Amino acid sequence: MPHPATPTPAIRRIAIVGAGTIGASWAALFLAHGLTVVVSDPAADAEAQTRARVQAAWPVLKELGRVVEGASPDALLFEPDLATALVDVDFVQENAPEREDFKIELFARMDALLPPRVIVASSSSGLIMSRLQSRCQHPERFVIGHPFNPPHLIPLVEVVGGDKTSVEVIEQSIAFYRAMGKYPIRLNKEVPGHIANRLQAAVWREAIHLAAENVASVADIDAAVSQGPGLRWALFGPHMTFNLGGGAGGLAHFMDHLLGPVQTWWDDLGTPEVTPELQCKLIEGVNAEAGRRSIADMVQTRDAQLTALIKVLHR
């Protein structure tokens, strides 16, 4: 893998507002690139949890070649007081609870504390920035920078501005994330859930429908993705996958010959009602699929396999 790109000179000190799994993962990535990182979260155990998660992410970051010379997980700064944490920062990555009312109030508070030049990016997985920035005096510097979990491993960042976000802020955010080794994509318009979560939700809805209809077990439905199209999706998205499926004629040939059958599948897709009984069925199904493996064990396995896959893809 190539050496990590040099970050934008204007961004050297980052505030992570809201720790948790996502915030700690962002912190690890930014620290690995030699940036000064201060994490702010009022929870009593937030500092200990954040430091533990950053330490756990560090070996993987080193294995992937993303740790610049002199970088250390011990350089992380923690400040529970938001106003103090935001002093002299160049960029804010916000990871607060996914509640619109909470974020609107938080954004207005940060807006009052920060100089106008500082970009504030939200990790929100589906909220609309136009509403989140509605009470800010400088809404032009607020942008969505939605990562995929865990951010220190998964390259994708979805970048989209609100009605009042400046084009320059969107472009600067994309350049910054790219310098961090991420793969930023730009949304041309706001939609709830952005892109990737909507695609995930669409697949999961049909997976739930298939389970509800007893077409197969939860484990086999999962395997139908992980042992089939999921492997191809690690290389190409759905459009390019079907373009290759068309052979020499590409997508045009595929659509000419198979669009009819695909349309019948679309027409038959389900819209399940996730009742308490169906919830129990799904939970029992994933527990049976997991067997004796704990969540921690599976996360460790996932991250190890993701690391190996990323190394192969970036050869």
Side-chain angles (χ1 to χ4, degrees), residues 157-177:
V157 183
E158 297 174 309
V159 179
V160 58
D163 290 339
K164 298 179 180 178
T165 305
S166 76
V167 173
E168 291 76 16
V169 162
I170 294 172
E171 293 174 347
Q172 289 168 15
S173 300
I174 288 173
F176 170 68
Y177 287 131

Side-chain angles (χ1 to χ4, degrees), residues 125-207:
S125 60
L127 298 178
I128 299 297
M129 177 52 71
S130 291
R131 296 202 284 267
L132 301 183
Q133 67 187 181
S134 60
R135 284 177 43 198
C136 297
Q137 294 299 309
H138 298 283
E140 70 280 354
R141 44 89 164 271
F142 286 85
V143 67
I144 295 289
H146 172 238
F148 246 51
N149 189 33
H152 69 279
L153 278 181
I154 303 294
L156 180 67
V157 183
E158 297 174 309
V159 179
V160 58
D163 290 339
K164 298 179 180 178
T165 305
S166 76
V167 173
E168 291 76 16
V169 162
I170 294 172
E171 293 174 347
Q172 289 168 15
S173 300
I174 288 173
F176 170 68
Y177 287 131
R178 189 172 289 123
M180 295 295 101
K182 306 294 284 180
Y183 195 110
I185 63 171
R186 180 173 181 171
L187 279 67
N188 296 324
K189 61 187 295 185
E190 296 178 286
V191 289
H194 316 314
I195 295 174
N197 275 336
R198 291 174 70 96
L199 293 171
Q200 284 196 135
V203 172
W204 193 30
R205 182 175 72 178
E206 184 59 20

Side-chain angles (χ1 to χ4, degrees), residues 246-292:
L251 187 59
H253 183 267
F254 182 92
M255 296 177 77
D256 185 50
H257 286 266
L258 292 172
L259 186 58
V262 171
Q263 182 67 60
T264 66
W265 305 337
W266 287 337
D267 294 342
D268 194 52
L269 293 178
T271 55
E273 178 185 355
V274 187
T275 62
E277 293 76 17
L278 181 51
Q279 290 182 44
C280 288
K281 180 175 183 175
L282 298 173
I283 292 167
E284 290 171 359
V286 295
N287 286 339
E289 184 179 351
R292 296 184 178 181

Side-chain angles (χ1 to χ4, degrees), residues 17-19 93-99 102-103 106-107 122-124:
V17 176
Q93 187 74 43
E94 172 272 322
N95 318 276
E98 189 75 353
R99 298 203 325 264
F102 185 92
K103 287 186 187 283
L106 175 62
F107 283 19
S122 175
S123 295
S124 173

Side-chain angles (χ1 to χ4, degrees), residues 14 25 76 110 119 164 200-201 213 220 236 239 256 271:
I14 308 285
S25 183
L76 182 142
M110 289 193 292
I119 294 172
K164 298 179 180 178
Q200 284 196 135
E213 294 297 311
D220 281 349
F236 299 108
H239 298 304
D256 185 50
T271 55

